[in-house]
Amino acid sequence: MDNGESSYRRFLAGDNEGLYEIICTYQTGLILYLNSYVQNIHTAEDMAESTFVELMIKRPKFSGKSSFKTWLFAIGRNITAKHLRKLAKLSVVPLESQEYLADEQNVETDYIKSEQKRLVHQALHSLKLEYRQILYLIYFEGFSKEEAALIMNKSERQIKDLLFNSKKALKDELERRGFEYEEL
């Protein structure tokens, strides 16, 4: 049983400290993952908050078919997708045309420490949405391919193909930007 699952069980049993532990443990990773969808750190923070509110109010049942983190990120993805569908009906300006906010760099500064990491981050954000998401889930959050398949609602074969194509696209983009690296 992982920490998130045990904390959630404690929360469901009436110990509010359990929810606090879940928020402290998963908040930053969830925000950064959701940011790959919305391309706005403030919106991503709101969507992460909505995810935790959903846990608090609706208290969905955790079946244990995946890790707690996988389950939580899938809830966040679903809430964000619902939000984006609602925005698409209301908004005239496409999300892709929005400029990145300077505040986004402040939140991610701890995560992106060196100039090379910033270049990788910028190249990552120039990729297609699915490519950004799979790379983030596998390499930044440490999810397995099976867990990423659950989060992204895809088959494991689709995830393998997506991962292969996204790594190639990221490599091509980095080379286009003049990034030099040593292959292992």
Side-chain angles (χ1 to χ4, degrees):
M1 181 184 320
D2 71 27
N3 184 38
E5 182 178 352
S6 62
S7 296
Y8 189 59
R9 288 179 197 255
R10 285 193 357 258
F11 168 69
L12 292 176
D15 180 5
N16 288 336
E17 188 68 23
L19 183 61
Y20 177 75
E21 289 172 6
I22 291 168
I23 292 170
C24 289
T25 303
Y26 299 108
Q27 181 178 28
T28 302
L30 182 60
I31 289 170
L32 293 174
Y33 169 64
L34 297 178
N35 187 46
S36 73
Y37 271 97
V38 296
Q39 295 296 304
N40 181 309
I41 199 69
H42 300 296
T43 304
E45 289 169 345
D46 291 344
M47 295 298 95
E49 184 178 318
S50 295
T51 303
F52 295 123
V53 167
E54 173 124 349
L55 288 183
M56 186 173 70
I57 294 176
K58 293 188 179 178
R59 298 174 183 248
K61 181 176 173 14
F62 174 65
S63 66
K65 292 180 181 176
S66 64
S67 74
F68 180 81
K69 185 177 178 181
T70 301
W71 177 74
L72 179 66
F73 276 51
I75 291 173
R77 182 208 61 211
N78 291 339
I79 288 172
T80 302
K82 183 177 179 182
H83 171 76
L84 290 175
R85 283 192 299 274
K86 184 192 281 187
L87 272 182
K89 292 177 185 176
L90 301 174
S91 180
V92 176
V93 180
L95 289 175
E96 295 80 18
S97 69
Q98 298 296 316
E99 292 294 320
Y100 296 133
L101 298 175
D103 289 17
E104 180 178 349
Q105 294 266 331
N106 294 336
V107 173
E108 295 178 351
T109 298
D110 292 338
Y111 199 76
I112 305 169
K113 294 181 180 174
S114 72
E115 191 60 36
Q116 285 185 333
K117 287 184 180 179
R118 267 189 273 290
L119 183 59
V120 170
H121 178 73
Q122 290 170 349
L124 189 62
H125 277 281
S126 70
L127 299 178
K128 291 183 354 185
L129 174 64
E130 283 188 325
Y131 288 0
R132 284 193 312 264
Q133 290 171 349
I134 190 64
L135 291 171
Y136 183 80
L137 288 173
I138 299 289
Y139 295 108
F140 292 99
E141 283 301 318
F143 283 108
S144 68
K145 291 175 186 161
E146 295 79 19
E147 291 170 325
L150 287 171
I151 291 171
M152 294 182 73
N153 200 24
K154 296 195 175 290
S155 72
E156 287 183 41
R157 181 66 192 159
Q158 287 173 312
I159 290 296
K160 287 179 184 176
D161 292 343
L162 189 59
L163 187 58
F164 176 81
N165 292 332
S166 63
K167 287 192 299 189
K168 182 176 179 347
L170 181 60
K171 180 181 177 187
D172 292 346
E173 179 63 22
L174 287 170
E175 288 174 350
R176 187 185 70 75
R177 292 173 182 248
F179 186 81
E180 295 179 17
Y181 57 93
E182 294 179 21
E183 290 194 33
L184 298 174

